[in-house]
Amino acid sequence: MNKKLKIILWIIFLGLIVLASCSLRPLKFQQNNETEITEDIDSDLIIVGFSQLGSESDWRTANTKSIQNALVKENGFSLIFSNGRQSQENQIKDVRSFIFQEVDYIVIAPVTETGWDTVLMEAKQAGIPVIIVDRKIDTEDESLYVASVGTDKYAEGKKAGLWLEKYLKERENETNISRKKLAVSEKEGSPINIVVLEGTPDSTAQIGRSQGFEDIAVNHKNWNILAHENGDFTKAKGKEVMAKYLQEFKDIDVLVSQNDDMTFGAIEAIREAGLSCGVNGNIKIISFDAVSEAFDKMEAGLINADIECNPLQGQLIADIIGRLEKGEEAPRVSYVEGKVFEAENASRDRVGRSY
Ligand code: GZL
């Protein structure tokens, strides 16, 4: 056999050895700067790959902590955590890495609703069940995931609209009383000028909260939604867009901000414009999430109302996996409930909260 053929065969043989060693579940997972392994891999543990969409907000931090605290070794889990940094492309890479590493389950908090079918089909073909957490995915093929855990974002948007209805009704009654006293007649339903800071486009939180609020607003001819732009759920972008709104519109009555981090930025922009917000302010603020710092702002009278979106979803995921491991049915959709908090009761309502 000539020398050249021998070398070619040897290279092929080496290649096969390398490939064979890769296909076994490695005892140690390769780490990159956004992937973190919580435990040395122990074959008795249930290995879960978790693709978190980012770290853009206080809410996201609480959500990540909740899931990391639930999927621990003491509960029989080994967690591989990846931060997608608000990029679906990163998340898809993370999911493919979990498939390659032959994890037992994949958990995904999807940054946006569409574009998941291909990679979820790869997970299905690899026999790895997928659980969707926090936001939803939009797919025709319901078999691509076994369960979803989150909150009802559409209901949250409606709660914001219903709170504004209640608030304005109470003010109208007050004005009517004073109007009777002053015998001042005023056109019913004076214009209410509203601006909206929206979350990441095509995310379930943005879609649901926008639609829910609009389905209430449509019943009020005097509610004018002057603008609704993307603030990407971050404080910096929320401040930037609110500053733009304040330049553009001189008579904003209400800000609806689809998460607290954007609200914190908006409050800075309002104050830098020499205006005030909240209970005694020019601009009334309805926010979403109800994280700890938002309670600080409600107690200071800077936010009027906050629609809670509960990030504590880790235990629900652990319970679902536990049931699947025992061959039991798991609920297809699990929601964690949330409340509506108001500035007037913030000190009382925040007692005992964990985020
Ligand atoms: C809501 C979640 C949203 C939060 C934001 O379920 O997807 O994403 O409201 C977070 O704070 O960025």
Side-chain angles (χ1 to χ4, degrees), residues 24 31 52 57 79 140 162 195 226 236 270 304 312 326 338:
L24 302 174
Q31 298 197 22
Q52 178 59 287
S57 64
L79 180 67
E140 300 295 316
L162 294 169
V195 291
L226 304 173
I270 290 167
N304 293 78
L312 307 181
K326 285 185 265 178

Side-chain angles (χ1 to χ4, degrees), residues 56-57 59-60 134-135 153 209 233 258-259 289 309:
E56 74 288 353
S57 64
W59 188 96
R60 186 64 53 199
D134 174 24
R135 301 176 185 175
K153 315 281 189 279
R209 290 170 185 171
F233 287 132
Q258 292 183 354
N259 90 324
D289 284 351
C309 172

Side-chain angles (χ1 to χ4, degrees), residues 200-244:
T200 307
D202 187 36
S203 69
T204 310
Q206 178 272 312
I207 295 166
R209 290 170 185 171
S210 297
Q211 194 57 61
F213 181 77
E214 285 158 19
D215 285 357
I216 299 296
V218 73
N219 303 324
H220 299 274
K221 288 194 298 300
N222 62 318
W223 291 17
N224 306 317
I225 298 181
L226 304 173
H228 53 91
E229 289 185 32
N230 173 30
D232 235 1
F233 287 132
T234 65
K235 178 177 180 180
K237 187 92 170 136
K239 179 174 183 177
E240 178 194 315
V241 176
M242 188 65 197
K244 188 166 89 74

